[in-house]
Amino acid sequence: MPNILVIHGPNLNRLGKREPDVYGSGTLEQLNESLITLGSQLDAEVETFQSNHEGHLIDCIHDAEERVNALIINPGALTHYSYALRDALASVDLPAIEVHISNIHRREPFREHSVTAPVTQGQIVGLGFYGYELALRAVLELLKEKP
């Protein structure tokens, strides 16, 4: 059974409270529960991790290589400037999908560029929590194709 790690970056613990007009009213707990349930339905185990600290996210990515099969990551604002997080993703031999709840390409100009996307297999933006479901389905398909 594949094991997928979903990593949530800074401020995602504020889902449901922070800018609900941009991020919706659902909480991080609700999102995680829905992903764990969907994973079970798809014969996959889903783990989740959230931190507001860049170093903790990097450590989590490094540690993941030995125990999971793939990553789904929403780096939050670190998407736009964290070369350290980008390098962590590049350093592990795991497929990864980048997800953003809002459409980063329709927001402030500084949000339009992702330094992490080039080291992932794909990016899903602007579809709310549904983007995570699509990412989970996509990463499971990628694992089927992996030799």
Side-chain angles (χ1 to χ4, degrees):
M1 175 182 299
N3 191 344
I4 311 304
L5 175 60
V6 181
I7 301 173
H8 305 285
N11 297 311
L12 289 165
N13 59 307
R14 303 288 299 162
L15 287 174
K17 298 175 185 169
R18 176 186 175 215
E19 299 177 82
D21 55 317
V22 175
Y23 301 106
S25 59
T27 67
L28 182 61
E29 293 77 20
Q30 291 168 331
L31 173 58
N32 287 340
E33 287 174 16
S34 70
L35 291 170
I36 291 166
T37 298
L38 178 61
S40 179
Q41 293 168 0
L42 298 173
D43 292 321
E45 188 167 327
V46 174
E47 297 178 37
T48 64
F49 178 80
Q50 189 278 327
S51 180
N52 293 316
H53 305 282
E54 183 178 34
H56 293 172
L57 296 167
I58 291 167
D59 289 342
C60 180
I61 292 166
H62 292 169
D63 295 343
E65 187 173 36
E66 299 303 318
R67 58 185 183 72
V68 304
N69 303 100
L71 303 172
I72 296 169
I73 185 166
N74 181 340
L78 295 172
T79 300
H80 315 294
Y81 66 87
S82 178
Y83 294 105
L85 191 62
R86 178 244 178 256
D87 289 349
L89 288 166
S91 78
V92 296
D93 186 24
L94 293 170
I97 304 284
E98 182 177 308
V99 178
H100 295 281
I101 295 167
S102 68
N103 185 344
I104 63 173
H105 305 290
R106 295 181 72 190
R107 296 191 58 201
E108 303 92 338
F110 77 89
R111 294 188 196 273
E112 293 175 4
H113 180 70
S114 169
V115 299
T116 50
V119 294
T120 66
Q121 276 56 49
Q123 184 188 62
I124 300 171
V125 304
L127 300 177
F129 284 10
Y130 183 58
Y132 285 88
E133 178 182 327
L134 293 174
L136 179 56
R137 292 177 183 280
V139 81
L140 290 172
E141 287 301 315
L142 289 173
L143 289 173
K144 289 179 186 175
E145 297 170 5
K146 193 174 179 179

